Amino acid sequence: MPQSVVESRKLAATNEDKSIVNIYLTSIMEDYSQEIQYCFPNNNFSCLKEIKLEVEYVILYMFISLLSVFTVFLNLLVIISISHFKQLHTPTNLLILSLAVADLIVGLIVIPFMGITFIESCWYFGDIFCSLFLFISFMVVSASLGNLVFISVDRYIAVSDPLRYTVRVTTDKVVFWIIMNWLCSGIYSVIILYNSMFYPKAQDKCYGDCSVSFKSEHVVTDLIVTFVVPSSVIMSIYMKIFCVAKYQAKVVNSVSGVSRSQRKAAKTLGIVVMVYFMCWIPYYIVTLFEGNESTVQFNVTCWILYMNSCMNPLIYALFYKWFRISAKQIVTLKIFKPSSEFFSLFPEDK
């Protein structure tokens, strides 16, 4: 066989092998591109987008939507009840109202946008709203815990010094402390998020990420300021309330001056505090040991603490008859009747 023919056959075989390899590599790259996507394909610094099954998308979006609507609806019932009915205009209920406002913001803003980011694994709402979102998220958490501290103090005074309660705890004083609570929560949030809010591009993260990366010392500081110290204060106050209530159980109510409703309010709000701790402690444990990386444990504990915002109205509905009556008045639209704000929510007091 001529040498030229042999060489031409070898060259053809080599070209055929190369084409097969190219086809194989092309198929691999196509499969890889289907599995790996970017939040912003036209941006070289874009974050990777996690691809989920269609069933997962449907289930997760349904869960987020229902949780958000449920949280907003229940807390609106609390806010409208306390704001509308004159009988509920008390210092204690103002604190409950402030707590409900914080939970409403969680259901209206935090849960939907955090849910979309969790499902899509991308932040599509820009740097400015990312900074605002982080600020709101941290502020409502701090404000909620501050409200629980003031609720504990209010219940302690009501149980331990009932005769002077109306003098020591007035509406004006409670409004002042609510304003101070939200103001301090906002200032603390700006301080702890200063770099993330005002210098987002200086952070070492890809485009499409809206998260906060704390150093270990910042995590410990935030843990102490926003959880350990307030929680210690709340627990110590409720221990005192328990001791006072135990002592008063040995004497006649008319002598001690503590009504049954005051004790029931202390018990109910104590359950609110306990549920709050049960929802938040797992989150802080995971954050302390594993950081705020997007792991399965971190995501699960995050959604447990978000669900806490819809639990408080359920507790009120379970233990407060006035809330069940007021909710019925709101749902049936009877609050639009003339003088409905004077409707009696405590018929047993007549």
Side-chain angles (χ1 to χ4, degrees), residues 56-213:
E56 290 184 74
Y57 280 108
V58 173
I59 294 174
L60 289 174
Y61 269 114
M62 286 182 62
F63 171 74
I64 298 301
S65 301
L66 290 174
L67 180 60
S68 178
V69 171
F70 199 52
T71 302
V72 170
F73 174 72
L74 290 177
N75 284 287
L76 272 178
L77 287 180
V78 177
I79 293 171
I80 296 173
S81 297
I82 296 175
S83 301
H84 181 75
F85 295 104
K86 297 293 184 180
Q87 280 187 313
L88 300 181
H89 292 181
T90 64
T92 303
N93 287 340
L94 286 179
L95 293 170
I96 294 177
L97 176 64
S98 178
L99 182 61
V101 169
D103 290 336
L104 176 69
I105 294 174
V106 172
L108 200 61
I109 298 177
V110 178
I111 290 178
F113 289 100
M114 185 63 75
I116 293 172
T117 305
F118 170 70
I119 296 170
E120 301 293 341
S121 65
C122 298
W123 178 263
Y124 293 118
F125 310 103
D127 291 336
I128 295 177
F129 189 71
C130 174
S131 300
L132 182 61
F133 174 77
L134 292 174
F135 169 75
I136 292 173
S137 302
F138 273 73
M139 183 178 66
V140 293
V141 169
S142 301
S144 295
L145 195 52
N147 287 322
L148 293 178
V149 172
F150 289 128
I151 286 173
S152 303
V153 174
D154 171 79
R155 289 300 84 203
Y156 175 71
I157 296 174
V159 172
S160 63
D161 193 8
L163 299 178
R164 293 194 302 163
Y165 172 76
T166 55
V167 177
R168 296 180 62 182
V169 181
T170 63
T171 300
D172 292 339
K173 290 180 180 178
V174 169
V175 170
F176 172 77
W177 286 113
I178 289 174
I179 294 173
M180 290 300 298
N181 175 42
W182 282 92
L183 185 62
C184 292
S185 299
I187 293 173
Y188 173 76
S189 299
V190 171
I191 293 173
I192 199 72
L193 297 172
Y194 185 82
N195 290 330
S196 298
M197 287 179 60
F198 298 105
Y199 302 102
K201 294 182 179 180
Q203 305 295 311
D204 186 18
K205 58 184 182 181
C206 54
Y207 190 70
D209 180 24
C210 184
S211 61
V212 183
S213 297

